[in-house]
Amino acid sequence: QVHLLESGGGLVQAGGSLRLSCAVSSLPFSGYAVGWFRQAPGKEREFVAGVSWSGTTTEYADSVKGRFTISRDNAKNTGFLQMTRLKPEDTAIYYCAAAAGLWELRQFQSHYWGQGTQVTVSS
């Protein structure tokens, strides 16, 4: 059974940094694009960032460009989201997902999702 496990969330002050990890098991990890999404209370889930299977292509939501960096380590079946200059509006549950490609990620056509990790940014 495919399993995605996020970690690294927590409480941080505005301007701080966090690094999220997404450990993937039972999936040919290097054949899938990996993405991060977030959902704040009362809001719909939104795309945050995605990285192609090779790691050479990345995409970001406008709200996080220049502050967040997505990456992956195919040898360790793990994806990462480095978040810097965090803002209170970044507060949300962050989910990782795997899909056939970046287009599928952006279209929310991911078959595999993690359970999420809470990120809270205090002002």
Side-chain angles (χ1 to χ4, degrees):
Q1 183 176 358
V2 177
H3 191 56
L4 283 70
L5 180 63
E6 302 96 338
S7 61
L11 173 64
V12 64
Q13 288 187 332
S17 301
L18 283 174
R19 189 191 196 207
L20 305 183
S21 298
C22 174
V24 180
S25 59
S26 302
L27 186 74
F29 183 74
S30 61
Y32 284 78
V34 173
W36 289 91
F37 297 75
R38 67 186 181 187
Q39 188 166 17
K43 296 187 177 180
E44 293 187 349
R45 190 172 298 189
E46 64 175 355
F47 172 82
V48 174
V51 59
S52 62
W53 66 270
S54 63
T56 56
T57 303
T58 57
E59 295 184 2
Y60 297 92
D62 289 342
S63 59
V64 306
K65 279 181 182 177
R67 300 188 298 120
F68 291 10
T69 303
I70 190 170
S71 61
R72 62 189 296 158
D73 184 339
N74 285 347
K76 296 182 177 180
N77 286 7
T78 304
F80 304 97
L81 185 68
Q82 179 68 49
M83 305 185 294
T84 63
R85 291 184 284 144
L86 283 159
K87 305 175 181 180
E89 50 264 43
D90 294 318
T91 295
I93 298 174
Y94 283 71
Y95 301 89
C96 70
L102 285 172
W103 183 88
E104 286 80 0
L105 279 174
R106 296 298 292 259
Q107 299 301 314
F108 288 79
Q109 293 184 13
S110 299
H111 291 292
Y112 308 107
W113 291 86
Q115 293 299 308
T117 184
Q118 176 71 48
V119 171
T120 303
V121 184
S122 63
S123 58

